[in-house]
Amino acid sequence: MPAGGSCLLGSINLSEFIKNPFTSNAYFDCEEFGYAVEQGVIALNEVLQEGLPLHPLQEQQDSVNNWRQIRLGLFGWHDALIKLGIRYGSEKSLTVAGCIGFHMINTSIKTSANLTSTYGKYPKYNELAILNSQFFINNTTNETKELVKEKGLANSQLLTIAPTGSIGTMLGVSTGLEPIYNISYTRKTESLHGKDEYYKVYTPIIEKYMKANNIDKEEDLPEFINTAMSLNYKERIEMQSIWQKYIDASISSTVNVPNEFTVEDVEDLYLLAWQKGLKGVTLYRSGCKREGILINNDIDKKQEFEYTEFPRGYIEEVPEGLVYRKYKLKTGCGNLYFFLGVDEIEGKIYDCFTNTDGVGGCTINTQANSRLLSAALRGGIPVNYLIEQLNKSGTCPSFQYKKGKGEKLSKGKSCASAMANVLKDILKEFNDHEEVVNNIKNVCPECGEELIFEAGCNSCRNCGYSKCN
């Protein structure tokens, strides 16, 4: 339950309260859920109280104590519906949302009222404003109303629905009240097999459903299972509007729409959201700049992936049209000219050779090393590994001697390490360029795959990285 500014956030996984999932006897355990809500409110309030004296400024302590805002939320909503066998956006799903939402806010208000016995009312508590509030009147039982009249409230705010991008991704559960993004994805791996390989993975709840019902193909899934990409945006807005009735703060929400969504459609969506009483909504249009790495199958069909697998010992031919960069290195034996064949677009070093001003054994050794280095580059040996090995070659006496005389030589302790430093600089140049491109494409900083934007967060389905706005 992380702190969020002057309030505290915590979220409950709704899918964990479905008993007998994936069967006709599935049901939502209201009693167990109510207990979780009660404990969540108590825990968040205790964390708030514990942290009060830790705020650096008295003004901060006063502000937090005056209002005592906590925000308990939820995630795993679509997972819960799938376990119940209910289509997201259907009338039945809206009815279930209303029942759970009322139970959640009524329990939260009742718990906060009972907390006043220990912590007292929050200092800014306004009894008249609370008791006459339509939100309070509509979302409490008579028993709770009487309790609040008697005791007041310990907290000014209780519920919100945060993005939950990180915890949802970590647990493999749908985030916030969002529908699942897709049934399955095409995932790419580079590290497992030494080459790009693409394979299908299913969203965790779909995989569980298929196993529970002995389904092998997604084409055989029932019609009630839908996704963010197949759901009508009006149904999506309707779902959020139901939940907003029971949330005293606001909801973080992303509506995913297809690429063909027009400007007029966007206008209609936002007007509908306003008419339905939403406090906020984000729209994400498929195919825009921040497209995710988890590729829809319809898009997959437009792409053909070619693989090149090199057998052990295979050496690539030097491609035509390479740009050869020339580096003049000052070494202990004179000038060393280091030529590197680079594909500037691909950002890859293919070839190298050397030439020197001097003669003799050192020249022959340098040329031999450059040929071996070139073969290693075209044989697929990682450049970082080659740099490491070149730097382990030891210190050249000529380098030491010349540096001792005060001559300015290239960075390094030998011809080999001087070449290693050139390779290192080129790698940094390529990586910096890639980082710029990645920043434009919104690429995961952990694994390099593109991020998908949902639930207010940029998330990577490949490695689990998430960053929320």
Side-chain angles (χ1 to χ4, degrees):
M1 298 180 178
S6 61
C7 67
L8 293 168
L9 299 174
S11 298
I12 297 175
N13 183 0
L14 293 181
S15 69
E16 289 298 307
F17 299 94
I18 308 300
K19 306 302 179 183
N20 306 320
F22 312 124
T23 71
S24 59
N25 297 320
Y27 68 95
F28 185 84
D29 192 330
C30 287
E31 183 177 352
E32 186 177 317
F33 174 66
Y35 178 74
V37 172
E38 179 185 6
Q39 294 304 307
V41 171
I42 292 172
L44 287 172
N45 186 74
E46 288 183 352
V47 173
L48 182 146
Q49 296 292 337
E50 184 73 20
L52 268 179
L54 302 179
H55 292 281
L57 300 178
Q58 185 61 46
E59 289 88 344
Q60 292 173 308
Q61 295 182 31
D62 293 341
S63 176
V64 172
N65 185 57
N66 281 340
W67 299 103
R68 299 185 199 161
Q69 296 171 313
I70 60 171
R71 294 179 182 176
L72 185 64
L74 58 90
F75 66 108
W77 171 231
H78 197 186
D79 284 45
L81 289 175
I82 292 174
K83 287 182 177 182
L84 290 169
I86 300 174
R87 179 183 177 274
Y88 189 110
S90 65
E91 285 298 324
K92 189 173 183 180
S93 71
L94 300 178
T95 300
V96 174
C99 292
I100 297 174
F102 181 88
H103 188 37
M104 187 174 187
I105 184 60
N106 181 69
T107 303
S108 298
I109 292 173
K110 182 168 59 176
T111 305
S112 184
N114 285 324
L115 284 172
T116 59
S117 299
T118 303
Y119 300 103
K121 302 172 188 177
Y122 66 92
K124 294 291 185 178
Y125 179 72
N126 184 325
E127 180 180 10
L128 188 62
I130 294 294
L131 297 182
N132 290 325
S133 163
Q134 283 301 311
F135 182 87
F136 173 77
I137 294 171
N138 295 337
N139 293 321
T140 51
T141 62
N142 290 333
E143 178 189 359
T144 301
K145 287 182 175 68
E146 291 301 318
L147 184 66
V148 174
K149 286 180 183 178
E150 175 189 349
K151 295 187 173 184
L153 292 170
N155 311 94
S156 66
Q157 284 189 331
L158 294 165
L159 302 183
T160 191
I161 300 181
T164 68
S166 297
I167 57 177
T169 301
M170 178 177 67
L171 297 177
V173 179
S174 56
T175 59
L177 58 80
E178 312 283 352
I180 60 174
Y181 187 75
N182 215 339
I183 298 293
S184 62
Y185 304 96
T186 298
R187 178 167 289 172
K188 182 179 77 171
T189 178
E190 298 176 356
S191 59
L192 294 179
H193 307 285
K195 62 183 178 67
D196 288 357
E197 186 161 311
Y198 296 82
Y199 55 96
K200 177 181 283 189
V201 292
Y202 289 100
T203 297
I205 187 63
I206 299 301
E207 185 176 12
K208 292 176 183 177
Y209 185 91
M210 293 174 72
K211 287 182 179 179
N213 291 277
N214 297 316
I215 296 175
D216 297 324
K217 299 178 181 179
E218 63 182 76
E219 292 80 10
D220 298 329
L221 289 168
E223 292 184 0
F224 76 81
I225 295 181
N226 54 359
T227 68
M229 302 310 295
S230 63
L231 184 69
N232 185 287
Y233 77 87
K234 294 181 180 179
E235 294 178 306
R236 177 65 183 75
I237 295 295
E238 190 69 44
M239 177 64 75
Q240 185 173 340
S241 72
I242 294 296
W243 279 106
Q244 188 62 77
K245 293 177 182 178
Y246 310 102
I247 303 297
D248 56 341
S250 56
I251 298 172
S252 175
S253 169
T254 301
V255 179
N256 295 88
V257 298
N259 183 258
E260 57 270 19
F261 213 67
T262 65
V263 173
E264 291 75 19
D265 291 331
V266 173
E267 181 182 12
D268 290 342
L269 186 153
Y270 280 113
L271 282 174
L272 179 63
W274 172 70
Q275 292 166 357
K276 289 292 184 177
L278 271 60
K279 293 184 179 180
V281 67
T282 300
L283 181 148
Y284 177 74
R285 178 172 166 266
S286 179
C288 292
K289 182 174 72 172
R290 294 195 290 185
E291 187 67 69
I293 64 162
L294 303 178
I295 309 166
N296 288 327
N297 290 333
D298 290 341
I299 299 175
D300 292 346
K301 295 174 183 176
K302 301 176 184 178
Q303 302 179 0
E304 293 183 3
F305 302 109
E306 298 182 359
Y307 309 114
T308 303
E309 184 171 1
F310 296 152
R312 183 176 176 82
Y314 181 86
I315 304 295
E316 285 185 90
E317 294 293 331
V318 177
E320 295 182 2
L322 282 183
V323 174
Y324 276 86
R325 298 184 179 186
K326 177 181 177 182
Y327 297 89
K328 182 180 179 181
L329 305 177
K330 292 188 175 295
T331 74
C333 298
N335 293 328
L336 170 67
Y337 299 95
F338 189 29
F339 297 86
L340 287 168
V342 177
D343 186 321
E344 303 284 358
I345 298 177
E346 188 179 352
K348 183 177 179 179
I349 305 170
Y350 275 97
D351 186 31
C352 74
F353 63 90
T354 59
N355 196 4
T356 63
D357 285 344
V359 294
C362 195
T363 300
I364 301 301
N365 284 334
T366 303
Q367 290 177 356
N369 287 336
S370 71
R371 287 179 174 274
L372 291 173
L373 180 61
S374 182
L377 289 167
R378 289 184 282 126
I381 305 299
V383 179
N384 277 326
Y385 180 79
L386 296 175
I387 292 171
E388 181 183 345
Q389 298 306 310
L390 289 171
N391 281 326
K392 288 181 178 180
S393 60
T395 302
C396 173
S398 297
F399 257 72
Q400 283 185 313
Y401 177 73
K402 289 289 182 69
K403 284 185 176 181
K405 291 178 62 178
E407 293 188 25
K408 188 174 181 180
L409 304 182
S410 295
K411 184 180 177 181
K413 57 186 179 181
S414 65
C415 292
S417 66
M419 290 190 290
N421 285 322
V422 173
L423 293 173
K424 188 175 180 180
D425 290 341
I426 294 177
L427 273 191
K428 184 178 184 306
E429 174 190 335
F430 289 159
N431 289 336
D432 288 346
H433 173 70
E434 184 178 3
E435 184 177 344
V436 171
V437 174
N438 288 349
N439 286 336
I440 295 173
K441 290 184 177 180
N442 201 38
V443 172
C444 175
E446 298 293 335
C447 68
E449 298 288 1
E450 286 194 57
L451 300 174
I452 183 172
F453 184 74
E454 61 177 343
C457 301
N458 289 310
S459 303
C460 178
R461 297 290 189 185
N462 186 54
C463 71
Y465 168 84
S466 180
K467 180 179 181 181
C468 302
N469 295 329

